[in-house]
Amino acid sequence: MSYAAYKMMHWPTGVDHCAAGFVTHSPSDAAAFFTAATVGPGPEGDIDSAAAASRPRRLGPSPNLVVAAANVLEVYAVRAETAAEDGGGGTQPSSSSGAVLDGISGARLELVCYYRLHGNIESMTVLSDGAENRRATIALAFKDAKITCLEFDDAIHGLRTSSMHCFEGPEWQHLKRGRESFAWGPVIKADPLGRCGAALAYGLQMIILKAAQVGHSLVGEDEPTCALSSTAVCIESSYLIDLRALDMNHVKDFAFVHGYIEPVLVILHEQEPTWAGRILSKHHTCMISAFSISMTLKQHPVIWSAANLPHDAYQLLAVPPPISGVLVICANSIHYHSQSTSCSLDLNNFSSHPDGSPEISKSNFQVELDAAKATWLSNDIVMFSTKAGEMLLLTVVYDGRVVQRLDLMKSKASVLSSAVTSIGNSFFFLGSRLGDSLLVQFSYCASKSVLQDLTNERSADIEGDLPFSKRLKRIPSDVLQDVTSVEELSFQNIIAPNSLESAQKISYIVRDALINVGPLKDFSYGLRANADPNAMGNAKQSNYELVCCSGHGKNGSLSVLQQSIRPDLITEVELPSCRGIWTVYYKSYRGQMAEDNEYHAYLIISLENRTMVLETGDDLGEVTETVDYFVQASTIAAGNLFGRRRVYGKGARVLDGSFMTQELNFTTHASESSSSEALGVACASIADPYVLLKMVDGSVQLLIGDYCTCTLSVNAPSIFISSSERIAACTLYRDRGPEPWLRKTRSDAWLSTGIAEAIDGNGTSSHDQSDIYCIICYESGKLEIFEVPSFRCVFSVENFISGEALLVDKFSQLIYEDSTKERYDCTKASLKKEAGDSIRIVELAMHRWSGQFSRPFLFGLLNDGTLLCYHAFSYEASESNVKRVPLSPQGSADHHNASDSRLRNLRFHRVSIDITSREDIPTLGRPRITTFNNVGGYEGLFLSGTRPAWVMVCRQRLRVHPQLCDGPIEAFTVLHNVNCSHGFIYVTSQGFLKICQLPSAYNYDSYWPVQKVVRPLNQVLSSMADQESVHHMDNDVTSTDALHKTYTVDEFEVRILELEKPGGHWETKSTIPMQLFENALTVRIVTLHNTTTKENETLLAIGTAYVLGEDVAARGRVLLFSFTKSENSQNLVTEVYSKESKGAVSAVASLQGHLLIASGPKITLNKWTGAELTAVAFYDAPLHVVSLNIASFFLETSEPAAPSPGPPDPLNLSAMVLFEQQQQQNSQQAVKNFVLFGDIHKSIYFLSWKEQGSQLSLLAKDFGSLDCFATEFLIDGSTLSLVASDSDKNVQIFYYAPKMVESWKGQKLLSRAEFHVGAHITKFLRLQMLPTQGLSSEKTNRFALLFGNLDGGIGCIAPIDELTFRRLQSLQRKLVDAVPHVCGLNPRSFRQFHSNGKGHRPGPDNIIDFELLAHYEMLSLDEQLDVAQQIGTTRSQILSNFSDISLGTSFL
């Protein structure tokens, strides 16, 4: 029996839903911040305010953006950068070089929090009551009828569930009225004033969610005095309205309208349905009805309605006040209705009207509006994003009393959108499943100069793939620095005059883009251009890349994806026994210069017993002899102090350039021994002007630099000499910037910041202050943060190494936490204590990367290889909590004095980070964490060791990219000089020093590094061939308007592309045009055995279909092409064969030198004579073949081994080894060939091919009905399984066991496992798993399946052995209850097979879900040990299983 693991490697990127609202802050918080930022320091603000009042500035407080992609929920903050004004308070120049629009020079999205849910989000809305001090709540709907409300909790800096509403299960079964499947899940909408929400479930059940009134909330009493405490809207209760009782049959959409005292719900529904054949006689079948919802009486009277709306009406838009009413959007017309007036607009010639209706105005251009997404830019202009990617603006022309008419005009072209939302009154967001999602700024009446800038900078289309994407790679977040003034919260009344002119004058700039690689329709696996032919083992994996067909239509592109980074090598030298490398700056003059672009001066290399120094000028030259560095022994660390150099080993030296100015030796001040002896330094941390040294004996010394004399003095902090605790790790953190971040978290922060600015007014120091802190972790696991140099403790946490989800200052817990609540349970089993004692921290790092809004990260590396990662945030506990809790018994006076200077409001929340390395790290090893501020335009940290990885900080989010290509890495440092701009140097364990740069063609702000190759024409990419050297095929379509204005003919062609050079462009080498109406359905590279020449030929096979509508019988063609090299090494593609077939050719494959062709419902096996394909065998499929797979095996013995007595064995291939088709096929007698194909409705069929009788014979099939999407063989040693994905987003694993009774004498394929993936899998790729120590070594013949899905996700299904499966399955069952799941979703119900109403017998549960198991690593150490003990195993065993599976599947 074989078991499998399901693991996602690249999460979905296609945006399904988006919404905007004040989730993390209330409008008044944002306004308060805004006024603080706008006044600015100094008197300039007052002078500017008069001028500012006249200057129009529409940038108000900006709400958050909430984005949902399949089961991933992300909350972003919009950070706008204001353009520097002359005389404004802005200290730093604007960092992004974008055009200035409305005083904004740039904007970007910054991640606040993200969650991976156990369920796909069907619908999303934001509940907001519009109050200044109330936050919004996110409401999510899941299948079948689950609704969860989430609000932002400052205490944990994340979302927490505020209410859950479930209308499923036996007591709600009657709501389905006997139906099992519904076309779509629940749809949820919110009342504009936040009084209630409504969700439509089961087609005709309206769920009303009543919001709690302010003052009666469940959370706590809202005192009118504390106006600033912002609570979120919360749902109090819910009830149902059965729409059937109101004579509704088919509800299409609903919306809450503005301008009524009670919530009014308008429902668009169809009284008597119609269909395409009846449109002529029955065409106006829709109507709208408005219900007034009285939630206290639970009554809903109809207050007005409108009938005779077109049958193709599909969407309602509530018009904002003061106009109110609704817009009904139809495919061919738009209608406005309110209680008093109505008007319409025809969009094209297809719109019809009921008899006797008045004349209706027509749009001045033809457009179809079905499947359009819409959002309001102002109270009278709505923007549509159409199915063709055009942006249209509809103006509701209103004279103050009634709506007179609707005016539609074309605006720009954009990405094909799946959701749009306005963010505040300056931005909107275009979410897309088919292209990159865009953040766009818009402005009314832009000045001429800006418009000229725009036309120069970017073309008229707002495309996701313009040159600005280079600019978007890195936009530091120095945002809102110098907004000189904004009128106080008055952005509502600065609305452009209501006329058509305002719509015509809207201008747009794309400010940011979220990259999307979905939908992945097809992909192929091949060598990278910079592959290393000598690589072995896991390093060999970074020779490969995945080239995917992404997007659709004009957003179609090729995406090149790599899981691991392979740097571009500049030069390498052999350098054995290297211990560390550093680069340092040197400025000969102490003056102001551009810090960002300064070149490094020296490279210091520490060997085992000496130190080398190299100058990093035009070339690297060794200057070891001429400098005063301490070169006789190895160096511990090197860095910059007050613009000079210094290095130390046993001692420290300060150098000015190459000349020593001071030397220090370190001694112990031990009270026992009379003589002070020299002591070695274990590790060091440098933060100008301090150096923190950790000695070999665990003591700590601080070197304090003096700026005037440029000398160091040694200081042994007395606090550590007296304490008995041993120090495990320590580091310095420099908090720098115009406003040091940690100062804001003090309890007296409001005092210190104002005074400091006033005192430091002279000189440049006020702009860039910096505080130094020392972070120390003891061997007991306690973490403390001290101020330097006073060494006053400002923050302490008892048990840092246990990895709690939240780190809170121990002192503030004394004050704020209830004293009765015991923090640690003392009666824990001694067994667990021993297990936890071996865990030590070996390295600490704390860093805050660039950006005004960035917050520090804290990293802790444990000796078992775990990397703990925390993100700091500031949380002010409300005063009401302080009052209730009694003060601690030690007396209150001294507590209060001490607490004033503590970072009482500082908290850290744990961030999940996918680092797979599991290795025992020695306590006194080399430092492994190296932070960098600019490598190829990115910032983050590099983790060296046996599995090195890059952790890049993009949008305040950690992106982990492993680097496998060189094996273990000993040391790493950045290098910026003439020949290597913003590059880096690392030393491998084999003793090579490599100078490299990051490949610039890739975008690293994604789950995997990705390069999008955009074709120059508007194209659809629909199919691609497997790679042969570096060739790729794709299809594209170009439209011709020759036939008719409204009827286009798609002309396809297959293109062969080649990569010119690494990181360069993909050049089209040749094109293969298709005939009129012909589509290429499949493109594959096949190896055929030429029976004439007795040689194998590699050919390109294309299967096509003529798409001519339902009245013409389907036809297709098989085309074969050969590749030849011409004399100037150009690749020539020549057609060698072409033949028409009776059905569409949907799949081709090569089987042992023969060509297998699926043509409609028939599969034929053909032999190749060099000029002709001759059929030798065939098999009749039921309906239409969607996928074909081949497995060929060598039999080492001519007969399979006799089956052992006992339970019947599934298909056993005895001692067989999978054999690749590319190899020469000799000894063909001993080959077993199997064919697997999937049918569009009739599940999968398993065939065998015997050459002796030239026959394709059916071995077994699945008798269920399954709409197949993709199929493949899963091979685990000698066990063969068959995998199929279907239209209900499931994966099933079957096996062939003719000896088992339930297989009906071998006719039926038996189910081995089934699993709900939650996405449509379109392609499987079989890849050999990599050998690891933990996975049983006798099974070398193990293959995992890599898959891509339509949401842009990539994952794998890998076979695992039974012992591992049993262990992880019991862990999985435990975690269902042990972990609080976001939204209260149950992972077990999500992963159950979804049959969508069809009869299905449940199969075995033999797949483990790594999406759920990933929660284990985020538990605290005590909880991990607890859970492991309860399932009868150990923590280290579980973590080594995790590590083995992730290593075994670390492809690409």
Side-chain angles (χ1 to χ4, degrees):
M1 189 64 193
S2 180
Y3 303 90
Y6 164 86
K7 185 172 188 284
M8 284 301 285
M9 302 159 130
H10 182 289
W11 283 268
T13 54
V15 174
D16 297 310
H17 310 282
C18 60
F22 289 94
V23 177
T24 62
H25 53 274
S26 64
S28 57
D29 296 344
F33 169 76
F34 236 75
T35 47
T38 55
V39 173
E44 299 95 8
D46 309 328
I47 302 166
D48 255 12
S49 56
S54 62
R55 189 188 306 124
R57 184 62 74 73
R58 294 171 49 254
L59 180 65
S62 60
N64 298 94
L65 171 68
V66 188
V67 166
N71 65 334
V72 178
L73 179 72
E74 298 174 326
V75 180
Y76 289 96
V78 180
R79 304 294 191 200
E81 258 179 59
T82 50
E85 301 276 335
D86 298 337
T91 56
Q92 286 179 315
S94 145
S95 56
S96 68
S97 55
V100 178
L101 189 61
D102 264 345
I104 301 177
S105 63
R108 50 185 249 300
L109 296 170
E110 197 171 276
L111 189 77
V112 179
C113 55
Y114 74 101
Y115 298 95
R116 304 205 277 261
L117 313 180
H118 299 292
N120 286 355
I121 297 167
E122 295 291 325
S123 173
M124 173 169 76
T125 188
V126 169
L127 279 162
S128 157
D129 63 358
E132 286 299 309
N133 62 341
R134 297 259 289 179
R135 294 183 180 178
T137 293
I138 303 169
L140 304 174
F142 303 91
K143 275 192 170 174
D144 283 315
K146 290 187 278 282
I147 297 159
T148 304
C149 298
L150 300 169
E151 60 183 53
F152 189 77
D153 186 357
D154 286 319
I156 59 170
H157 200 76
L159 298 175
R160 69 182 168 88
T161 307
S162 62
S163 68
M164 301 191 296
H165 313 266
C166 182
F167 295 88
E168 296 175 13
E171 67 272 31
W172 300 105
Q173 196 66 38
H174 63 280
L175 299 180
K176 294 187 175 185
R177 296 181 67 92
R179 276 186 71 175
E180 280 298 324
S181 68
F182 295 88
W184 52 78
V187 180
I188 189 164
K189 302 274 177 87
D191 176 52
L193 293 178
R195 295 163 294 192
C196 68
L200 181 70
Y202 300 130
L204 286 168
Q205 302 293 334
M206 188 66 75
I207 302 164
I208 301 293
L209 307 167
K210 180 181 183 228
Q213 297 299 310
V214 184
H216 309 292
S217 69
L218 304 169
V219 181
E221 58 277 3
D222 245 348
E223 298 169 17
T225 49
C226 60
L228 280 174
S229 77
S230 56
T231 55
V233 180
C234 69
I235 299 297
E236 187 176 66
S237 59
S238 57
Y239 69 94
L240 277 166
I241 301 175
D242 185 5
L243 299 182
R244 266 190 200 81
L246 305 174
D247 287 342
M248 293 191 191
N249 291 330
H250 177 201
V251 175
K252 293 186 157 194
D253 197 17
F254 63 98
F256 286 96
V257 292
H258 300 256
Y260 289 87
I261 295 168
E262 280 194 318
V264 171
L265 187 65
V266 177
I267 300 179
L268 170 67
H269 56 107
E270 201 168 21
Q271 286 304 87
E272 298 177 43
T274 182
W275 67 287
R278 294 268 295 157
I279 299 268
L280 201 59
S281 55
K282 246 177 128 176
H283 43 74
H284 280 67
T285 54
C286 290
M287 65 176 291
I288 52 173
S289 310
F291 298 88
S292 179
I293 308 286
S294 169
M295 287 173 289
T296 44
L297 302 172
K298 296 195 177 175
Q299 291 178 349
H300 34 270
V302 179
I303 52 175
W304 56 272
S305 65
N308 280 343
L309 289 165
H311 70 279
D312 53 12
Y314 68 95
Q315 191 181 4
L316 289 179
L317 291 177
V319 184
I323 304 175
S324 303
V326 289
L327 285 175
V328 184
I329 314 300
C330 314
N332 306 310
S333 55
I334 300 175
H335 306 259
Y336 169 80
H337 285 276
S338 69
Q339 200 161 351
S340 52
T341 59
S342 67
C343 64
S344 311
L345 176 70
D346 279 356
L347 303 174
N348 55 41
N349 301 331
F350 295 121
S351 57
S352 58
H353 304 287
D355 302 334
S357 57
E359 183 64 31
I360 288 180
S361 58
K362 273 190 166 343
S363 157
N364 52 9
F365 58 93
Q366 303 266 328
V367 66
E368 289 175 6
L369 219 49
D370 55 323
K373 307 293 172 196
T375 185
W376 291 93
L377 299 187
S378 71
N379 68 336
D380 60 336
I381 298 178
V382 62
M383 185 203 75
F384 290 101
S385 176
T386 68
K387 61 182 180 184
E390 293 175 295
M391 281 159 53
L392 307 176
L393 295 175
L394 178 78
T395 309
V396 182
V397 182
Y398 175 71
D399 65 356
R401 214 165 37 85
V402 293
V403 171
Q404 294 172 324
R405 65 181 197 279
L406 305 173
D407 278 307
L408 189 71
M409 55 169 288
K410 286 190 176 182
S411 182
K412 293 276 170 93
S414 79
V415 66
L416 299 172
S417 306
S418 57
V420 294
T421 183
S422 304
I423 308 172
N425 50 6
S426 302
F427 298 98
F428 60 84
F429 179 76
L430 297 166
S432 173
R433 278 178 62 88
L434 304 174
D436 294 351
S437 301
L438 307 179
L439 175 71
V440 183
Q441 185 195 347
F442 66 94
S443 168
Y444 302 105
C445 329
S447 63
K448 291 269 173 58
S449 63
V450 172
L451 287 171
Q452 281 163 359
D453 276 359
L454 281 175
T455 47
N456 297 343
E457 266 197 45
R458 6 196 113 71
S459 64
D461 282 12
I462 301 185
E463 293 282 4
D465 313 286
L466 286 170
F468 82 91
S469 60
K470 290 180 184 161
R471 181 172 66 77
L472 285 176
K473 272 194 181 168
R474 209 68 227 113
I475 304 181
S477 56
D478 310 304
V479 183
L480 299 173
Q481 288 257 357
D482 41 13
V483 192
T484 44
S485 80
V486 169
E487 296 193 9
E488 190 72 24
L489 273 187
S490 58
F491 60 89
Q492 289 92 346
N493 54 28
I494 316 179
I495 288 172
N498 188 342
S499 70
L500 272 181
E501 292 171 10
S502 63
Q504 284 166 358
K505 288 182 183 168
I506 294 184
S507 48
Y508 307 92
I509 298 185
V510 180
R511 291 297 191 192
D512 203 351
L514 298 180
I515 203 156
N516 169 28
V517 298
L520 296 174
K521 289 177 285 201
D522 196 3
F523 56 77
S524 93
Y525 172 83
L527 282 174
R528 300 188 190 182
N530 60 354
D532 174 15
N534 305 321
M536 300 295 292
N538 280 13
K540 193 175 179 180
Q541 283 307 311
S542 54
N543 279 346
Y544 297 100
E545 64 191 1
L546 213 57
V547 183
C548 313
C549 293
S550 303
H552 177 76
K554 67 175 196 173
N555 293 120
S557 65
L558 283 179
S559 296
V560 184
L561 289 163
Q562 306 176 345
Q563 192 179 354
S564 61
I565 290 178
R566 175 179 280 280
D568 288 341
L569 185 68
I570 295 177
T571 179
E572 67 173 324
V573 287
E574 197 164 348
L575 191 74
S577 70
C578 173
R579 294 296 181 81
I581 46 177
W582 299 268
T583 44
V584 287
Y585 298 106
Y586 174 60
K587 296 195 292 263
S588 51
Y589 56 95
R590 307 267 316 270
Q592 294 295 319
M593 69 173 293
E595 290 282 334
D596 303 336
N597 213 22
E598 188 188 347
Y599 286 159
H600 287 109
Y602 294 101
L603 166 66
I604 298 150
I605 302 172
S606 169
L607 304 176
E608 205 157 339
N609 48 17
R610 66 187 190 94
T611 298
M612 286 171 66
V613 184
L614 286 80
E615 260 185 329
T616 57
D618 294 338
D619 50 356
L620 292 178
E622 187 169 347
V623 290
T624 311
E625 301 305 318
T626 61
V627 293
D628 288 346
Y629 283 89
F630 185 66
V631 295
Q632 287 81 37
S634 62
T635 297
I636 302 291
N640 284 87
L641 284 183
F642 21 79
R644 299 170 179 234
R645 310 284 122 281
R646 71 135 198 57
V647 181
Y648 47 83
K650 289 260 185 197
R653 295 190 178 191
V654 185
L655 296 100
D656 186 354
S658 57
F659 304 108
M660 179 165 75
T661 58
Q662 186 191 2
E663 179 165 20
L664 290 171
N665 283 319
F666 308 125
T667 55
T668 54
H669 302 284
S671 50
E672 300 91 44
S673 61
S674 55
S675 65
S676 52
E677 51 193 83
L679 187 67
V681 179
C683 63
S685 172
I686 302 170
D688 189 4
Y690 301 101
V691 183
L692 183 72
L693 309 174
K694 177 173 171 262
M695 300 307 192
V696 179
D697 68 345
S699 63
V700 164
Q701 297 200 358
L702 182 74
L703 307 184
I704 303 174
D706 182 348
Y707 265 111
C708 306
T709 59
C710 286
T711 54
L712 289 175
S713 53
V714 182
N715 171 22
S718 55
I719 185 165
F720 301 127
I721 295 174
S722 57
S723 90
S724 58
E725 289 191 90
R726 282 179 65 84
I727 292 172
C730 58
T731 184
L732 289 179
Y733 165 60
R734 181 173 181 193
D735 197 21
R736 63 166 71 194
E739 206 177 318
W741 190 86
L742 283 178
R743 281 189 198 178
K744 303 177 195 170
T745 63
R746 287 191 191 174
S747 30
D748 53 358
W750 56 278
L751 271 171
S752 59
T753 49
I755 298 169
E757 278 169 4
I759 297 169
D760 293 347
N762 51 359
T764 57
S765 60
S766 66
H767 294 317
D768 195 13
Q769 312 156 355
S770 60
D771 302 338
I772 311 279
Y773 295 89
C774 166
I775 299 114
I776 289 195
C777 190
Y778 300 97
E779 288 190 356
S780 63
K782 182 169 140 192
L783 177 99
E784 294 193 317
I785 300 182
F786 297 92
E787 280 184 344
V788 176
S790 64
F791 276 95
R792 189 174 61 210
C793 179
V794 290
F795 183 87
S796 66
V797 175
E798 268 312 315
N799 202 357
F800 172 69
I801 57 170
S802 75
E804 300 285 341
L806 211 63
L807 301 184
V808 184
D809 184 17
K810 181 177 73 174
F811 192 82
S812 59
Q813 272 180 351
L814 284 175
I815 296 182
Y816 295 134
E817 278 205 356
D818 204 30
S819 50
T820 56
K821 183 173 156 193
E822 193 59 48
R823 193 66 216 279
Y824 292 106
D825 189 4
C826 305
T827 59
K828 286 198 174 154
S830 57
L831 173 95
K832 282 179 46 206
K833 276 275 173 277
E834 289 162 22
D837 279 350
S838 61
I839 303 291
R840 293 256 188 288
I841 189 131
V842 292
E843 193 173 349
L844 276 174
M846 187 167 170
H847 197 78
R848 177 175 166 227
W849 281 278
S850 65
Q852 189 192 345
F853 290 95
S854 66
R855 310 190 309 277
F857 282 95
L858 173 65
F859 299 94
L861 191 61
L862 304 185
N863 59 356
D864 67 345
T866 309
L867 183 68
L868 298 178
C869 168
Y870 286 93
H871 204 177
F873 66 99
S874 172
Y875 170 66
E876 292 183 43
S878 58
E879 294 298 317
S880 54
N881 290 2
V882 182
K883 286 178 206 156
R884 287 192 214 118
V885 178
L887 277 167
S888 50
Q890 288 104 328
S892 56
D894 53 340
H895 263 9
H896 267 298
N897 299 341
S899 78
D900 282 348
S901 61
R902 288 183 79 91
L903 304 175
R904 190 194 290 174
N905 298 332
L906 174 65
R907 287 190 174 191
F908 292 91
H909 69 94
R910 186 150 172 215
V911 182
S912 68
I913 183 166
D914 303 319
I915 298 266
T916 55
S917 149
R918 289 268 160 241
E919 49 172 330
D920 290 334
I921 298 174
T923 320
L924 288 174
R926 293 229 45 79
R928 289 165 180 254
I929 298 174
T930 313
T931 58
F932 56 87
N933 289 327
N934 188 347
V935 171
Y938 289 87
E939 53 190 14
L941 65 91
F942 185 83
L943 191 67
S944 49
T946 54
R947 301 257 313 156
W950 295 80
V951 181
M952 293 182 179
V953 181
C954 306
R955 309 179 195 279
Q956 290 294 292
R957 169 181 198 152
L958 299 177
R959 299 287 198 184
V960 181
H961 303 306
Q963 179 176 324
L964 309 174
C965 56
D966 292 294
I969 287 180
E970 297 288 321
F972 173 93
T973 188
V974 293
L975 172 68
H976 178 47
N977 74 355
V978 182
N979 301 320
C980 177
S981 174
H982 297 298
F984 52 94
I985 305 179
Y986 59 89
V987 179
T988 67
S989 59
Q990 284 95 23
F992 285 95
L993 179 138
K994 301 193 174 191
I995 303 180
C996 302
Q997 282 177 311
L998 272 184
S1000 58
Y1002 287 82
N1003 188 329
Y1004 298 93
D1005 182 16
S1006 182
Y1007 297 108
W1008 287 5
V1010 56
Q1011 175 190 9
K1012 288 191 90 167
V1013 185
V1014 185
R1015 312 301 325 129
L1017 291 166
N1018 288 349
Q1019 289 147 2
V1020 179
L1021 287 96
S1022 66
S1023 174
M1024 178 165 45
D1026 296 72
Q1027 221 171 0
E1028 192 240 354
S1029 67
V1030 276
H1031 292 296
H1032 292 285
M1033 326 301 158
D1034 66 57
N1035 288 344
D1036 49 84
V1037 49
T1038 50
S1039 302
T1040 55
D1041 288 339
L1043 282 178
H1044 195 268
K1045 284 279 184 252
T1046 58
Y1047 184 62
T1048 61
V1049 179
D1050 294 340
E1051 291 181 4
F1052 286 83
E1053 61 185 29
V1054 174
R1055 295 189 173 185
I1056 294 168
L1057 310 172
E1058 192 173 358
L1059 187 62
E1060 287 293 295
K1061 61 177 190 299
H1065 291 293
W1066 292 82
E1067 297 294 327
T1068 303
K1069 288 298 177 188
S1070 60
T1071 57
I1072 304 166
M1074 301 284 109
Q1075 296 178 359
L1076 214 57
F1077 298 106
E1078 187 180 29
N1079 288 260
L1081 298 185
T1082 180
V1083 183
R1084 288 287 173 262
I1085 302 278
V1086 292
T1087 304
L1088 302 184
H1089 184 68
N1090 187 329
T1091 54
T1092 316
T1093 63
K1094 300 286 186 275
E1095 285 179 353
N1096 287 350
E1097 294 181 11
T1098 300
L1099 302 174
L1100 169 69
I1102 301 177
T1104 72
Y1106 291 95
V1107 182
L1108 294 162
E1110 58 188 12
D1111 303 324
V1112 183
R1115 290 182 303 118
R1117 282 199 304 163
V1118 180
L1119 305 168
L1120 292 180
F1121 292 86
S1122 70
F1123 295 101
T1124 50
K1125 289 255 179 168
S1126 63
E1127 53 275 0
N1128 55 0
S1129 77
Q1130 287 290 315
N1131 284 303
L1132 300 177
V1133 180
T1134 48
E1135 184 179 310
V1136 291
Y1137 179 76
S1138 159
K1139 186 187 178 185
E1140 279 210 1
S1141 74
K1142 279 188 177 169
V1145 179
S1146 55
V1148 292
S1150 58
L1151 169 58
Q1152 213 184 335
H1154 296 66
L1155 184 64
L1156 198 61
I1157 299 170
S1159 166
K1162 195 188 250 338
I1163 294 176
T1164 54
L1165 189 69
N1166 302 270
K1167 65 179 180 190
W1168 172 240
T1169 63
E1172 197 62 43
L1173 283 175
T1174 317
V1176 292
F1178 71 93
Y1179 181 81
D1180 283 329
L1183 294 169
H1184 177 80
V1185 176
V1186 290
S1187 71
L1188 267 180
N1189 305 98
I1190 310 289
S1192 304
F1193 295 87
F1194 272 140
L1195 283 139
E1196 290 184 3
T1197 55
S1198 54
E1199 281 299 311
S1204 55
D1209 193 31
L1211 178 69
N1212 196 318
L1213 305 169
S1214 62
M1216 303 186 196
V1217 186
L1218 188 84
F1219 129 95
E1220 293 293 331
Q1221 293 150 354
Q1222 280 76 13
Q1223 293 166 355
Q1224 292 295 318
Q1225 300 172 4
N1226 34 18
S1227 71
Q1228 293 182 351
Q1229 323 69 282
V1231 175
K1232 267 198 175 181
N1233 296 298
F1234 298 110
V1235 178
L1236 166 67
F1237 73 83
D1239 188 82
I1240 195 163
H1241 289 307
K1242 296 289 185 185
S1243 196
I1244 63 170
Y1245 285 69
F1246 183 43
L1247 315 175
S1248 82
W1249 156 246
K1250 293 194 178 67
E1251 199 163 11
Q1252 285 78 18
S1254 290
Q1255 59 182 24
L1256 276 172
S1257 51
L1258 176 69
L1259 292 174
K1261 65 176 185 175
D1262 173 30
F1263 280 81
S1265 66
L1266 196 70
D1267 300 352
C1268 277
F1269 266 45
T1271 55
E1272 188 51 276
F1273 289 102
L1274 184 64
I1275 296 161
D1276 181 15
S1278 61
T1279 313
L1280 184 71
S1281 309
L1282 321 170
V1283 181
S1285 68
D1286 63 29
S1287 60
D1288 292 323
K1289 305 184 178 181
N1290 304 307
V1291 160
Q1292 276 178 282
I1293 302 181
F1294 297 94
Y1295 68 107
Y1296 174 57
K1299 297 193 179 77
M1300 291 179 77
V1301 180
E1302 52 269 48
S1303 74
W1304 302 349
K1305 295 185 178 174
Q1307 298 176 61
K1308 184 179 181 204
L1309 289 171
L1310 300 178
S1311 177
R1312 177 163 273 161
E1314 56 185 28
F1315 188 81
H1316 183 70
V1317 175
H1320 288 124
I1321 291 180
T1322 50
K1323 167 92 184 255
F1324 287 112
L1325 179 69
R1326 193 170 64 215
L1327 294 175
Q1328 184 151 12
M1329 287 179 73
L1330 307 164
T1332 56
Q1333 297 84 27
L1335 293 172
S1336 52
S1337 54
E1338 68 271 9
K1339 285 192 177 175
T1340 52
N1341 188 28
R1342 240 187 191 175
F1343 286 76
L1345 299 184
L1346 195 73
F1347 64 78
N1349 64 38
L1350 291 182
D1351 296 325
I1354 297 169
C1356 73
I1357 294 173
I1360 53 172
D1361 54 275
E1362 183 169 3
L1363 186 65
T1364 308
F1365 171 77
R1366 296 277 175 231
R1367 182 183 300 120
L1368 295 182
Q1369 189 185 39
S1370 42
L1371 173 63
Q1372 179 174 305
R1373 288 176 177 156
K1374 190 80 202 151
L1375 288 177
V1376 171
D1377 305 320
V1379 175
H1381 300 293
V1382 186
C1383 297
L1385 293 166
N1386 186 340
R1388 279 186 70 181
S1389 75
F1390 177 48
R1391 294 308 185 186
Q1392 272 177 343
F1393 187 88
H1394 288 216
S1395 61
N1396 200 17
K1398 302 186 196 114
H1400 176 76
R1401 185 180 169 198
D1405 178 19
N1406 285 342
I1407 297 187
I1408 51 172
D1409 177 18
F1410 263 83
E1411 290 294 276
L1412 174 56
L1413 293 176
H1415 289 289
Y1416 181 76
E1417 297 189 67
M1418 289 301 289
L1419 294 174
S1420 69
L1421 184 62
D1422 287 341
E1423 290 169 318
Q1424 286 183 7
L1425 295 167
D1426 255 347
V1427 169
Q1429 191 184 2
Q1430 286 165 5
I1431 63 169
T1433 181
T1434 62
R1435 169 179 179 268
S1436 57
Q1437 182 65 63
I1438 290 171
L1439 294 180
S1440 77
N1441 284 155
F1442 285 3
S1443 173
D1444 286 341
I1445 290 172
S1446 61
L1447 283 176
T1449 57
S1450 56
F1451 310 119
L1452 307 164

